[in-house]
Amino acid sequence: MAEEASSAPAPAGGKMTMVAGVDESDHSFYALQWALQHFFPPAQPQQQQYRLVVVTAKPSAASAVGLAGPGAAEVLPFVEADLKRVALRVVDKARELCAAAQVADAEFEALEGDARNVLCDAVERHHAEMLVVGSHGYGAIKRAVLGSVSDYCAHHAHCTVMIVKKPKPKH
């Protein structure tokens, strides 16, 4: 899997830390690209004021399958392998975007758990000054049923939370 979390508090060089949450959605990659464009000037990578930690959350196979009965045990290894492939794909795409933007100081994590908790824990662990997440733009009913990672993080992360919305196409 991708690199696991380190417990190093603050990086050398005194840079502030930005955590960016990504998943396989276009919305999260738009948010990452937006942050890269606005906070990481490619012309001067040595002068970038942030260190970037890109985090993706991988749900556990058991939570993805749920309590499905006697056949669930045979399915879990296949679900786990698929979830790992998705997490690796997400990290690889984020790594490519950061390399293209010439980000000088980035690390990548794929951690198991609910995205809400994984992101808030990453903020604490890395002593981040900012968390960047995308918004799916769900309405109130869909957000109430599915839950909103960005809303949860805005209320629970102990740092500034930037919620980046992907522009809607104009008709």
Side-chain angles (χ1 to χ4, degrees):
M1 182 126 96
E3 294 137 64
E4 290 297 319
S6 65
S7 58
K15 287 184 177 182
M16 295 183 288
T17 300
M18 175 188 294
V19 171
V22 293
D23 59 19
E24 67 267 45
S25 73
D26 289 341
H27 299 279
S28 73
F29 284 113
Y30 177 82
L32 176 59
Q33 288 174 308
W34 190 94
L36 293 172
Q37 180 182 6
H38 288 84
F39 290 97
F40 295 88
Q44 303 156 331
Q46 68 281 5
Q47 293 180 359
Q48 294 171 352
Q49 65 181 12
Y50 285 95
R51 136 181 130 78
L52 179 64
V53 180
V54 180
V55 178
T56 188
K58 180 187 83 62
S60 69
S63 70
V65 172
L67 302 173
E74 291 82 34
V75 173
L76 287 178
F78 297 106
V79 172
E80 179 66 28
D82 189 51
L83 291 171
K84 280 185 180 180
R85 275 192 299 277
V86 169
L88 287 174
R89 233 183 359 254
V90 168
V91 168
D92 287 345
K93 184 171 180 180
R95 201 180 297 271
E96 289 171 12
L97 292 172
C98 290
Q102 300 175 21
V103 175
D105 193 4
E107 74 181 78
F108 304 86
E109 298 179 348
L111 303 170
E112 188 169 288
D114 180 73
R116 296 164 182 81
N117 298 323
V118 166
L119 292 175
C120 288
D121 290 348
V123 163
E124 294 297 316
R125 194 173 55 256
H126 293 286
H127 306 285
E129 283 78 16
M130 184 182 300
L131 170 64
V132 176
V133 292
S135 172
H136 286 269
Y138 294 144
I141 295 172
K142 207 171 201 182
R143 194 171 46 248
V145 173
L146 297 176
S148 170
V149 172
S150 59
D151 185 58
Y152 181 90
C153 290
H155 289 91
H156 294 89
H158 294 200
C159 69
T160 298
V161 177
M162 181 170 297
I163 301 170
V164 180
K165 288 184 171 184
K166 187 175 181 181
K168 292 183 179 181
K170 295 180 179 173
H171 295 31

